[in-house]
Amino acid sequence: MAVSLSPGAVRGTRPLRRTLVGVVVLALAATLLAFVQTAAHAAPVLLSQNKNVTSSSVENVGTPASNAVDGDNGTRWSSAASDPQWITVDLGATRAVSQVVLRWETAYAKAYRVEFSTDNQNWTSKYSTTTSNGGTETLNVSGNARYVRVYGTQRATQWGYSLWEFQVFGEDGGSNPGGPITGGGDLGPNVKVFDPSTPNIQGQVDSIFQQQESAQFGNGRYQLLFKPGTYNNLNVQLGFYTSISGLGLKPDDTNFNGDVTVDAGWFNGNATQNFWRSAENLAIKPVSGDDRWAVAQAAPFRRMHIKGGLNLAPAGYGWASGGYIADSKIDGTVGPYSQQQWYTRDSSVGGWTNAVWNMVFSGVEGAPAQSFPNPPYTTLNNTPVSREKPFLYLDGNDYKVFVPAKRENARGVSWAGTPQGQSVPLNQFYVAKPGVSADTLNQALDQGLNLLFTPGIYHLNKTVNVNRANTVVLGLGYATLIPDNGVTAMKVADVDGVKLAGLLLDAGAVNSPSLLEVGTAGSHVDHAANPTSVQDVFARVGGAGPGKVTTAFVVNSDDTIIDHTWIWRADHGAGVGWETNRADYGLTVNGNDVLATGLFVEHFNKYDVQWNGERGRTIFFQNEKAYDAPNQAAIQNGSIQGYAAYKVADSVTTHEGWGLGSYCNYTADPGIKQDHGFQAPVKPGVKFHDLLVVSLGGMGQYNHVINNTGGATSGTSTVPSTVTSFP
């Protein structure tokens, strides 16, 4: 049930300073004034209503920025009580703007500017004042803009800035919002396409790397695409939010006599923060014989052919904490060296040198034999169900997306013979670019189009609803979706065969109930023949700025495949603190027969994973408990010390997991005790294989591994406690 608050009520005891009658009178007066001023000209079009809007801050949950463009004179945006503050509306495309109307609440701006931009970075002032009297201001301005910003520099009251409505008028550019949306189109400025004849490829990729090497929480997003052919003497170094892909149907269509490199020079040889980058669909013959891929979480290595060895450690063998390989062939030996954990699926390797804490393999030809805990190899001969990630490729001169077919009991790469799957032309995709509204995305989906998100950051004031079976939603270059006003970023209906891939969902400043929901709560439709898959879809709460969510991902649909995700409540960066980036739960699984392959979930305030569905399976799990728990009381779970990293509900009768690890690093209070990393009902159908818990340098301790089973971690030795089989 929605409860409507009076506009002044959200400030506690602050009285409502304008009656509804007054608002209506002012609104009518403004309308008449606008009519008189423009009677001699064609009436301008309201461009801003329900468009994406962002602001420097919000006073509270009841006054989000979206209220200023909702067409309702009874709702408002209000900011924090400090200077300066701003609110920006994205018109979706560059328009000829002729007028801005500001309907101030009592807390108005005495001094402010109205600014225009075409790129949301470079701004031109179109109006400024230091003597505003508030009320309704109709400003005749002129210029072309996609982004229009009100930038307040001096408040008239002790409160923040507050607008009932922020309206932008101008020419609609011939657009027809109610008309059909066209599929296809260009891939935008941050997709860089190369062929072997492209001049100065090395210089171009070096320039992007220099920008992205240490931009851990920056705004840059890039996709590097290489057309089929042979490229000599290249070393493509990948920084943050940079993806590289070949545009052939198979990896061997695009050959590098050179390297694709991830190292950790930017972080003094420590690779534990080499997040958010990827390599896909290339054949590489490394110059030195070994390609270096020293990554941490959210850095998939898919559909690659390495004609040599693969080194997973940084130069100097500093710390490393990864990682994920799928559908790849490494002719030589894989050397993890300092890598703490790794998961490899449906691949082929020429050898594997060592293991630190937790190395897991499923469906991997050449994988080391099962031997956990010494050495800690967990090896499954096959992957029960898998479907490789969709990818963009060139068919002649035409872009298409290849959607690989589902495999059962998979082993080895999917592309050894003729790739099995479906090709979808680009004209069946709406090619989204930053600034597009959620309304447009939903209209495209309702028309039957798939979605291709080009690299960039997308602010959503409404949920993107994927309701059609077999829809493909594919992101390039770590396209990032941010819910601005407490909505869920994306919901998938309980239908067959939706494919979500290649997205980063970043929590907004206003708490969302979730970032992603797959399926309908309580529904148990059988999707075994054609499951929904979630691949390389990552969640972040805080780090780039304040963010809050109750449960990051919720999976309700039966048979869903979760194939490689990192769901992360930030432990460093901006907007980080026990309550600042509050997020109680990472992943909640309510669906039955859900399979997770490569599950990374970290630092949530309560349970990182809650598994409520029947017959769930997880192959590889990596976790760290929240570093910033202030004390023992903050994580007390009834009579249990600490919330388990991975909890199977007491009602579940059948569940199975292989190769699961949880680490604690309670930096705020090293004396914290964690009863166990894993919690599950003791029933014949609930089985776990190869579990471990680790105390990092003695910063907190585990009493047990799972329930009351398994020895305690002790001292500062950072030696895992293990359980080979449970119960």
Side-chain angles (χ1 to χ4, degrees), residues 322-347:
Y324 177 91
I325 294 172
D327 202 26
S328 294
K329 187 175 189 294
I330 295 91
D331 294 344
T333 299
V334 179
Y337 303 110
S338 55
Q339 280 286 355
Q340 294 165 349
Q341 70 279 314
W342 200 276
Y343 175 54
T344 307
R345 179 182 62 72
D346 299 352
S347 294

Side-chain angles (χ1 to χ4, degrees), residues 43 98 231 313 478-479 486 498 651 687 725:
S98 59
Y231 299 79
Y478 285 82
V498 173
S651 60
K687 302 176 183 178
S725 181

Side-chain angles (χ1 to χ4, degrees), residues 185 437 539 595 626:
S437 70
L595 171 66

Side-chain angles (χ1 to χ4, degrees), residues 11 13-15 17 59 76 78-83 85 105-110 154-162:
R11 287 201 178 106
T13 60
R14 180 186 171 203
R17 303 193 182 188
E59 183 185 12
R76 63 187 175 88
S78 61
S79 75
S82 62
D83 297 310
Q85 300 288 340
E105 198 249 358
T106 303
Y108 65 95
K110 182 177 181 181
Q154 183 181 354
R155 290 165 292 136
T157 71
Q158 79 258 37
W159 307 105
Y161 299 87
S162 183

Side-chain angles (χ1 to χ4, degrees), residues 637-662:
N637 181 14
S639 62
I640 299 173
Q641 292 182 308
Y643 289 82
Y646 187 111
K647 182 183 187 299
V648 179
D650 292 343
S651 60
V652 170
T653 60
T654 305
H655 188 91
E656 196 158 11
W658 297 263
L660 284 69
S662 176

Side-chain angles (χ1 to χ4, degrees), residues 194-197 201 225-236 244-260 280-287 291 303-308 329 331 415:
F194 305 96
D195 64 45
S197 66
I201 296 175
L225 296 177
F226 286 80
K227 294 182 179 180
T230 299
Y231 299 79
N232 295 314
N233 304 314
L234 271 183
N235 180 20
V236 181
I244 184 171
S245 304
L247 282 171
L249 188 57
K250 301 173 71 169
D252 289 335
D253 293 339
T254 309
N255 287 276
F256 277 25
N257 291 314
D259 295 86
V260 172
E280 185 174 353
N281 205 32
L282 295 166
I284 299 175
K285 186 176 181 180
V287 170
D291 194 60
R303 206 177 179 83
M304 297 287 286
H305 183 190
I306 305 301
K307 300 176 179 179
K329 187 175 189 294
D331 294 344
W415 44 269

Side-chain angles (χ1 to χ4, degrees), residues 4-231:
S4 179
L5 298 176
S6 63
V10 292
R11 287 201 178 106
T13 60
R14 180 186 171 203
L16 180 62
R17 303 193 182 188
R18 184 178 296 137
T19 68
L20 183 59
V21 172
V23 173
V24 173
V25 170
L26 286 170
L28 289 171
T31 302
L32 290 171
L33 178 61
F35 175 77
V36 170
Q37 290 175 330
T38 60
H41 306 282
V45 175
L46 178 58
L47 303 173
S48 54
Q49 190 157 313
N50 293 322
K51 292 296 175 63
N52 281 350
V53 63
T54 55
S55 62
S56 52
S57 66
V58 293
E59 183 185 12
N60 57 52
V61 69
T63 59
S66 57
N67 281 358
V69 296
D70 64 0
D72 184 346
N73 287 314
T75 63
R76 63 187 175 88
W77 163 70
S78 61
S79 75
S82 62
D83 297 310
Q85 300 288 340
W86 53 261
I87 182 170
T88 300
V89 62
D90 177 1
L91 303 178
T94 299
R95 299 287 188 243
V97 176
S98 59
Q99 191 177 86
V100 171
V101 176
L102 303 176
R103 294 192 174 96
W104 294 102
E105 198 249 358
T106 303
Y108 65 95
K110 182 177 181 181
Y112 68 92
R113 303 190 298 269
V114 174
E115 300 176 323
F116 287 8
S117 174
T118 57
D119 60 6
N120 206 23
Q121 296 181 13
N122 300 296
W123 295 92
T124 301
S125 178
K126 293 293 181 177
Y127 174 85
S128 65
T129 182
T130 58
T131 58
S132 171
N133 292 316
T136 296
E137 298 185 282
T138 301
L139 311 173
N140 292 317
V141 292
S142 179
N144 294 323
R146 173 172 176 169
Y147 303 90
V148 179
R149 179 168 75 176
V150 177
Y151 193 95
T153 55
Q154 183 181 354
R155 290 165 292 136
T157 71
Q158 79 258 37
W159 307 105
Y161 299 87
S162 183
L163 279 166
W164 296 110
E165 284 294 297
F166 170 22
Q167 295 179 312
V168 179
F169 294 86
E171 297 178 14
D172 70 356
S175 65
N176 180 14
I181 292 175
T182 303
D186 71 272
L187 299 176
N190 289 341
V191 175
K192 309 299 182 182
V193 183
F194 305 96
D195 64 45
S197 66
T198 301
N200 193 28
I201 296 175
Q202 189 67 59
Q204 293 185 60
V205 297
D206 284 350
S207 177
I208 291 171
F209 176 67
Q210 288 165 11
Q211 175 185 324
Q212 298 300 114
E213 180 183 11
S214 58
Q216 182 170 178
F217 298 111
N219 294 327
R221 303 287 188 274
Y222 291 95
Q223 178 75 52
L224 313 179
L225 296 177
F226 286 80
K227 294 182 179 180
T230 299
Y231 299 79

Side-chain angles (χ1 to χ4, degrees), residues 475-558:
L476 302 179
Y478 285 82
T480 303
L481 311 185
I482 303 175
D484 285 327
N485 54 357
V487 300
T488 294
M490 186 172 290
K491 292 184 179 181
V492 179
D494 193 26
V495 295
D496 277 354
V498 173
K499 294 91 179 173
L500 305 182
L503 296 169
L504 173 59
L505 307 184
D506 201 353
V510 179
N511 187 77
S512 294
S514 59
L515 299 178
L516 172 66
E517 293 182 17
V518 178
T520 305
S523 177
H524 288 290
V525 177
D526 186 354
H527 301 293
N530 186 14
T532 285
S533 54
V534 180
Q535 300 179 285
D536 300 347
V537 176
F538 308 115
R540 179 171 67 193
V541 186
K548 291 186 177 183
V549 66
T550 302
T551 305
F553 285 4
V554 179
V555 175
N556 296 313
S557 283
D558 289 1

